[in-house]
């Protein structure tokens, strides 16, 4: 039995947990867009204008705040003009990054914006820096966001959309250190300034421009970007009309350094589980590393940090296209998500957005589809149970004592994490027990407000390999939980092994 004993002052506010930390990512990759979201208007699967209704409803139920599109690596070979106008007239292209398949561009700008409208999600569009031009990106923004008689506004109306859309988030390329052009930090930083200059704000639409930052812990890339807008000690120059306001980074979790053999999504040993958690915990070190670099040049945190690709990445399921990145999703993946969210919450002063990769049928997905059937993954349930943290005020947990840790050949890591937040007269306590074998008890002295336990739920299963299928869709699903209780002014939660739980409180 491991324990954590802490104190939380509910009348002391920490950073606000930006709802966009619960963002999503949909790339033209495998069956994410086609079959996942888009089935076409003539499909027997129930749809709205070609977008499948069941997936949309599932994602609305977890309050998806934003959706990133069209990539990913695909973004830097995507030319948006090929994806507008009558579908039967749109030219095709080869998706060289993902499966070397022919893309017919039947899902393009109008379809994506309609998807965001159905979801109630803010669009996050990634523009093409790798193979595109400044003019092409500028025209796309005009097409999307400008009214009146501008050339791209007229073209949009010809294609059936009278009013412009609101597009709050704009990515200036993707992974330009790799698939987006194999650039150096210095090369990209110059291009980011050039492209951002022509990412115009039209008709009251204010873009939050996100520079493509580093892979994992490449702090030199982050520093090079920050040096271009500031000097040591700041303040940073983040003009709203001709500069970028945030930078991104990517980090994936797997169980091996061998990129060709990352491990199975469902068949893994205890040693591979521990290796996964050691690597998952690196997100804490990496976020804090980028924050330290940014703080040196921008102590007021005017520039946002965005983790717009994160999640687990395993070997594809046997018999599937290796370029489609289709993998199952177990309780292990859900625990990785719980850990990531606690790290994101702790760094909410600087970290303003995160996008899990990816939403449907690819990597650590929320939803898996099989024809007309759909399965919600264990990771989906973490998003659902944590929804109350979105735009809530965090309350730091002051740990008085803890013995919750794993030490072994793979390394060491803490096995208990938690977040406490509040909004609208209620509080949410989320807890992750990474201990694969042992239960845990968390004791939190909650001070500063009168509180009562309203509801508790737990996500658990007999093994960390448990996962949902169309035959057994609820093998891993939230259940009412009787392991949370009040002892005086202390919330006591008894967690089963390898579990994620939430406790909802009423405040007065």
């Amino acid at each position: 039995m491991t324990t954590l004993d802490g104190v939380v002052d509910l009348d002391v506010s920490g950073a606000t947990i930006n709802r966009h930390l619960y963002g999503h990512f949909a790339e033209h990759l495998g069956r994410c867009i086609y079959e996942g979201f888009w089935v076409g208007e003539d499909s027997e699967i129930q749809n709205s204008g070609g977008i499948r209704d069941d997936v949309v409803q599932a994602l609305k139920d977890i309050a998806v705040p934003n959706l990133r599109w069209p990539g990913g690596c695909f973004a830097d070979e995507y030319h948006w003009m090929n994806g507008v106008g009558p579908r039967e007239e749109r030219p095709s292209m080869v998706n060289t990054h993902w499966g070397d398949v022919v893309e017919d561009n039947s899902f393009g700008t109008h379809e994506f914006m309609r998807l965001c409208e159905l979801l109630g999600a803010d669009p996050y569009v990634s523009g093409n820096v790798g193979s595109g031009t400044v003019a092409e990106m500028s025209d796309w923004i005009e097409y999307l966001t400008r009214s009146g008689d501008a050339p791209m506004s007229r073209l949009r109306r010809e294609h059936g959309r009278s009013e412009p859309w609101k597009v709050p988030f704009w990515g200036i390329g993707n992974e330009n250190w790799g698939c987006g052009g194999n650039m150096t930090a210095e090369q990209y930083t110059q291009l980011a300034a050039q492209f951002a200059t022509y990412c115009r704000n039209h008709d009251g639409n204010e873009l939050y421009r996100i520079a493509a930052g580093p892979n994992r812990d490449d702090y030199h890339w982050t520093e090079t970007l920050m040096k271009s807008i500031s000097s040591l000690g700041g303040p940073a120059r983040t003009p709203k009309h001709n500069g970028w306001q945030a930078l991104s980074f990517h980090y994936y979790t797997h169980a091996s350094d061998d990129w060709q053999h990352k491990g199975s999504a469902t068949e893994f040993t205890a040693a591979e589980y521990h290796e996964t958690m050691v690597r998952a915990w690196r997100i804490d070190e990496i976020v804090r590393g980028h924050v330290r670099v940014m703080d040196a040049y921008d102590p007021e945190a005017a520039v946002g940090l965005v983790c717009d690709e994160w999640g687990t990445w395993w070997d594809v399921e046997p018999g599937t296209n290796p370029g489609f990145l289709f993998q199952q999703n177990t309780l292990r993946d859900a625990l990785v998500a719980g850990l990531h969210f606690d790290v994101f919450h702790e760094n909410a002063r600087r970290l303003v957005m995160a996008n899990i990769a990816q939403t449907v049928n690819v990597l650590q997905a929320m939803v898996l589809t099989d024809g007309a059937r759909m399965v919600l993954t264990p990771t989906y349930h973490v998003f659902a149970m944590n929804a109350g943290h979105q735009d809530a005020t965090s309350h730091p947990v002051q740990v008085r004592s803890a013995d919750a840790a794993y030490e072994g050949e793979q390394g060491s890591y803490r096995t208990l994490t938690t977040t406490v937040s509040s909004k609208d007269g209620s509080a949410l306590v989320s807890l992750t027990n990474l201990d694969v074998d042992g239960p845990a008890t968390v004791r939190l002295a909650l001070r500063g407000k009168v509180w009562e336990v309203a509801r508790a739920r737990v996500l658990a299963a007999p093994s960390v390999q448990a996962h949902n299928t169309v035959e057994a869709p609820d093998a891993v699903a939230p259940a009412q939980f009787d392991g949370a209780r009040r002892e005086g002014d202390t919330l006591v939660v008894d967690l089963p092994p390898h579990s994620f739980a939430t406790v909802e409180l009423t405040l007065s």
Side-chain angles (χ1 to χ4, degrees):
M1 172 76 72
T2 56
T3 61
L4 184 151
D5 185 7
V7 176
V8 179
D9 291 308
L10 295 172
D11 57 347
V12 176
S13 298
T16 298
I17 298 170
N18 197 316
R19 69 184 183 278
H20 292 295
L21 292 175
Y22 287 80
H24 290 262
F25 173 33
E27 184 169 10
H28 288 245
L29 194 174
R31 296 189 302 113
C32 183
I33 296 295
Y34 301 107
E35 295 185 40
F37 281 114
W38 179 257
V39 292
E41 295 164 333
D42 297 329
S43 174
E44 294 182 358
I45 298 172
Q46 188 172 340
N47 67 85
S48 297
I51 298 168
R52 56 187 296 166
D53 292 338
D54 54 354
V55 171
V56 166
Q57 187 57 56
L59 296 174
K60 286 179 68 176
D61 289 343
I62 59 172
V64 169
N66 71 74
L67 185 63
R68 179 174 180 248
W69 173 86
C73 292
F74 183 79
D76 279 297
E77 65 177 3
Y78 181 68
H79 299 284
W80 71 271
M81 286 284 283
N82 295 335
V84 296
R87 292 191 195 102
E88 64 275 11
E89 298 177 10
R90 297 178 188 177
S92 61
M93 62 174 285
V94 177
N95 189 337
T96 60
H97 289 293
W98 305 121
D100 201 38
V101 296
V102 175
E103 158 72 52
D104 69 2
N105 281 310
S106 56
F107 188 94
T109 296
H110 288 249
E111 291 77 16
F112 171 68
M113 296 305 293
R114 177 57 178 157
L115 171 59
C116 289
E117 289 173 343
L118 291 172
L119 291 172
D122 287 336
Y124 174 10
V125 177
S126 291
N128 182 346
V129 171
S131 67
T133 67
V134 173
E136 179 184 28
M137 189 179 293
S138 182
D139 283 348
W140 197 6
I141 294 168
E142 182 179 299
Y143 184 94
L144 282 160
T145 64
R146 189 177 180 89
S147 61
D149 197 38
M152 293 299 104
S153 307
R154 292 197 302 270
L155 182 61
R156 184 191 64 244
R157 285 195 295 273
E158 290 174 14
H159 293 156
R161 172 77 182 196
S162 176
E163 295 300 315
W165 292 282
K166 292 294 184 183
V167 180
F169 302 112
W170 195 269
I172 306 171
N174 168 79
E175 293 190 359
N176 299 99
W177 41 264
C179 64
N182 287 303
M183 303 175 193
T184 65
E186 290 75 15
Q187 287 174 314
Y188 173 75
T189 295
Q190 291 184 340
L191 281 177
Q194 181 185 6
F195 274 78
T197 300
Y198 296 94
C199 292
R200 305 293 194 187
N201 292 334
H202 298 287
D203 291 346
N205 183 81
E206 191 168 290
L207 294 173
Y208 189 77
R209 302 165 190 83
I210 302 169
N215 186 30
R216 297 184 294 188
D217 58 354
D218 184 354
Y219 303 126
H220 168 71
W221 190 289
T222 295
E223 186 172 24
T224 303
L225 281 168
M226 293 303 297
K227 280 182 176 179
S228 73
I229 61 169
S230 186
S231 56
L232 282 172
R237 302 179 299 277
T238 56
K240 293 184 177 180
H241 298 285
N242 61 353
W244 45 267
Q245 289 76 49
L247 64 88
S248 67
F249 76 99
H250 295 168
Y251 180 69
Y252 287 98
T253 297
H254 38 87
S256 169
D257 284 326
D258 184 349
W259 196 246
Q260 301 304 315
H261 300 92
K262 295 176 288 295
S264 167
T266 57
E267 297 178 4
F268 53 89
T269 64
E272 289 172 313
Y273 173 86
H274 293 308
E275 184 70 36
T276 299
M277 293 308 164
V278 168
R279 292 169 181 267
W281 260 112
R282 281 212 67 210
I283 189 65
D284 183 62
E285 167 197 335
I286 290 170
V287 170
R288 293 181 190 278
H290 290 299
V291 169
R292 283 193 294 271
V293 172
M294 296 174 76
D295 281 349
Y297 293 89
D298 173 31
E300 301 302 317
V303 179
L305 180 62
V306 173
C307 181
D308 56 14
E309 290 187 30
W310 69 272
T312 55
W313 191 327
W314 311 119
D315 296 338
V316 300
E317 294 303 305
T320 65
N321 188 323
F324 282 9
L325 306 188
F326 176 76
Q327 65 187 43
Q328 250 295 352
N329 192 302
T330 69
L331 183 55
R332 174 178 63 167
D333 299 274
L335 298 177
V336 168
L339 161 61
H340 274 67
F341 281 131
D342 285 333
V343 171
F344 294 164
H345 300 159
E346 286 187 7
N347 291 277
R349 168 184 168 271
R350 175 74 71 175
L351 195 67
V352 297
M353 183 190 292
N355 302 77
I356 192 166
Q358 294 188 20
T359 311
V360 188
N361 290 333
V362 171
L363 298 177
Q364 191 174 351
M366 304 295 102
V367 176
L368 305 178
T369 66
D370 182 2
R373 297 180 294 182
M374 180 189 76
V375 175
L376 305 179
T377 67
T379 299
Y380 172 94
H381 294 305
V382 173
F383 275 74
M385 294 167 70
N386 256 8
H389 285 314
Q390 293 190 24
D391 283 342
T393 299
S394 64
H395 301 286
V397 177
Q398 304 168 53
V399 177
R400 294 189 292 202
S401 65
D403 62 2
Y406 169 82
E407 293 187 9
E409 293 182 8
Q410 299 77 24
S412 61
Y413 61 89
R414 287 190 286 135
T415 57
L416 277 176
T417 67
T418 184
T419 293
V420 180
S421 73
S422 67
K423 67 177 179 180
D424 303 329
S426 63
L428 181 65
V429 182
S430 57
L431 310 103
T432 305
N433 180 16
L434 303 178
D435 193 322
V436 70
D437 296 316
T441 295
V442 176
R443 301 177 61 89
L444 298 176
L446 302 179
R447 309 185 304 200
K449 293 284 181 70
V450 177
W451 59 273
E452 296 291 341
V453 174
R455 182 172 71 149
R457 292 188 293 171
V458 66
L459 188 70
S463 75
V464 287
Q465 290 84 1
H467 56 279
N468 298 331
T469 64
V470 292
E471 294 79 20
D474 296 316
V476 186
Q480 295 303 308
F481 182 43
D482 60 6
R485 63 189 182 277
R486 179 171 185 161
E487 293 183 358
D489 290 330
T490 299
L491 174 67
V492 181
V493 185
D494 296 320
L495 295 165
H498 52 265
S499 65
F500 175 80
T502 54
V503 182
E504 299 168 32
L505 310 175
T506 56
L507 302 179
S508 60

